[in-house]
Amino acid sequence: MQAAARRPRTNHLDLAQRILDVARQRGFEPGARLPEQQIASLCNVSRTPVRAALSLLAERGVVRWEADTGYHLAVDLAAQPAIAAELPSAEEDELAEAILRDRSARRLDQTVTAAALMRRYGADRKTVLKALNKLTEENLLDRAPGQSWLFRRTPDDPEAQGESYEFRLLLEPAAILMPGFRLDGARAAALRQGMDALSALPDTAFDTREFQRLDMDFHGMIAEGSANRFIADALADHLRLRRLPGIYAGVNVFRLRQSLLEHLNILDHLESRQYEVAADLLRIHLRLSRSQRPQAASRGAPALFGMISRPE
């Protein structure tokens, strides 16, 4: 009997994703060398897991190995933004996603136990605990007394979504206006490429998961650019809650495309260091997103996006 294919280790999968993120953020083009020591330094890990992660990417055709020069990027990350979705998943990662889907659909109560999850998903205790620990590390769960875990309040209903946007309206523009705000230029350039590529797709091929990744990365970049660590940490923790499956359910492609254009316009002004204008545009963007109604775009605000051009 043929043995089942061995699943890759979670840390190797996570590192493979980080390597893709670093390559995308630094604008690596097809053919660019990926020296193990450089990647290890950029990702703050040793060379051994880097070698395993690069091997995993080579199996998927994302990088290629050359005997004389080592690993090279084999694809255009800007033109293929959804490569990460093609990576295999570790068993605990798949279970964590299933738990999130079921919680989002209200098939799980706010409090769960490892024993109940083992029965529900037919998984062993080790895998369940790894999945719970992963969700806890991502601030989606809190450890409760005994053997219980408690889901954090997430923006998955209209009331919570409204509160989420109010929270972000208070902090995200403030992050831009903090003295010492810094924009990661390489990350911004990679985001622009990804958003341009997604915008160019027809509606039938528009990838909502890729939009979610770009959306989270764009707002995460703003949070991390703040010189105030408390604002940055509070926003980063809150933005993680938006990775729930179905968080964009009910928002049509028109609005998502409009959001991409708003992101790009905000990015123009961040790159030009017009931070006050960028903060104002971000407030409008968040208010339009809060409404989640494309018709809201015709009530004055988008004219502002059209009127303000990037300074020469």
Side-chain angles (χ1 to χ4, degrees):
M1 183 176 177
Q2 187 176 5
R6 185 177 180 181
R7 290 179 182 268
R9 292 172 57 179
T10 301
N11 62 324
H12 294 161
L13 284 166
D14 290 343
L15 184 54
Q17 177 60 66
R18 287 169 62 191
I19 291 172
L20 291 180
D21 290 341
V22 166
R24 185 179 285 111
Q25 291 165 11
R26 291 181 173 265
F28 287 6
E29 297 181 349
R33 286 191 64 229
L34 301 172
E36 293 177 8
Q37 186 57 56
Q38 179 189 13
I39 296 298
S41 298
L42 291 172
C43 296
N44 197 28
V45 295
S46 67
R47 292 180 63 178
T48 300
V50 166
R51 192 173 299 119
L54 287 170
S55 177
L56 176 61
L57 290 171
E59 292 174 6
R60 320 307 288 191
V62 180
V63 304
R64 69 175 185 273
W65 164 260
E66 295 181 5
D68 294 335
T69 55
Y71 286 101
H72 295 255
L73 188 63
V75 299
D76 186 347
L77 293 176
Q80 302 182 51
I83 285 175
E86 300 173 2
L87 291 175
S89 298
E91 190 173 4
E92 58 267 26
D93 292 337
E94 291 181 350
L95 179 56
E97 291 300 319
I99 291 170
L100 287 180
R101 284 196 301 271
D102 285 347
R103 174 56 188 164
S104 182
R106 296 293 193 271
R107 291 189 288 264
L108 287 175
D109 293 332
Q110 188 174 11
T111 302
V112 294
T113 64
L117 294 176
M118 289 168 61
R119 292 191 297 271
R120 179 180 181 86
Y121 298 104
D124 60 68
R125 185 174 183 82
K126 181 178 179 181
T127 301
V128 168
L129 290 177
K130 282 185 177 181
L132 290 171
N133 287 333
K134 177 182 176 65
L135 294 175
T136 302
E137 290 171 2
E138 294 177 356
N139 292 319
L140 295 169
L141 281 178
D142 286 321
R143 187 68 186 265
Q147 298 299 313
S148 299
W149 278 261
L150 183 69
F151 283 101
R152 287 195 169 192
R153 179 76 184 274
T154 55
D156 58 353
D157 62 67
E159 181 183 358
Q161 287 171 6
E163 292 173 356
S164 171
Y165 278 112
E166 290 297 337
F167 176 84
R168 295 173 63 194
L169 276 163
L170 285 172
L171 289 188
E172 284 196 49
I176 293 175
L177 296 176
M178 283 291 107
F181 175 85
R182 295 184 62 184
L183 180 69
D184 185 330
R187 186 174 179 182
L191 269 170
R192 182 181 294 279
Q193 287 183 323
M195 290 188 286
D196 284 339
L198 185 57
S199 296
L201 296 176
D203 286 358
T204 53
F206 193 91
D207 188 341
T208 305
R209 289 180 304 173
E210 176 61 9
F211 174 86
Q212 183 174 19
R213 184 189 71 79
L214 290 168
D215 184 56
M216 292 182 64
D217 200 18
F218 174 78
H219 290 282
M221 177 183 67
I222 290 174
E224 292 170 23
S226 173
N228 186 306
R229 70 190 71 180
F230 296 102
I231 289 179
D233 289 347
L235 279 173
D237 284 347
H238 185 75
L239 289 171
R240 289 190 191 98
L241 300 178
R242 294 176 56 78
R243 63 158 290 206
L244 276 176
I247 198 71
Y248 297 98
V251 184
N252 62 31
V253 172
F254 175 86
R255 175 58 202 152
L256 298 182
R257 286 188 181 281
Q258 190 180 54
S259 291
L260 289 174
L261 294 177
E262 292 161 10
H263 286 171
L264 289 167
N265 203 20
I266 293 166
L267 190 55
D268 285 343
H269 290 83
L270 288 174
E271 289 174 336
S272 300
R273 299 189 179 183
Q274 289 192 315
Y275 296 137
E276 290 189 4
V277 177
D280 286 341
L281 294 175
L282 179 55
R283 289 188 189 94
I284 295 171
H285 166 67
L286 290 172
R287 287 177 181 135
L288 289 174
S289 297
R290 177 177 57 184
S291 74
Q292 295 191 352
R293 293 193 305 271
Q295 61 267 30
S298 65
R299 295 205 297 265
L304 180 61
F305 285 98
M307 290 169 61
I308 299 178
S309 59
R310 183 176 180 177
E312 297 296 336

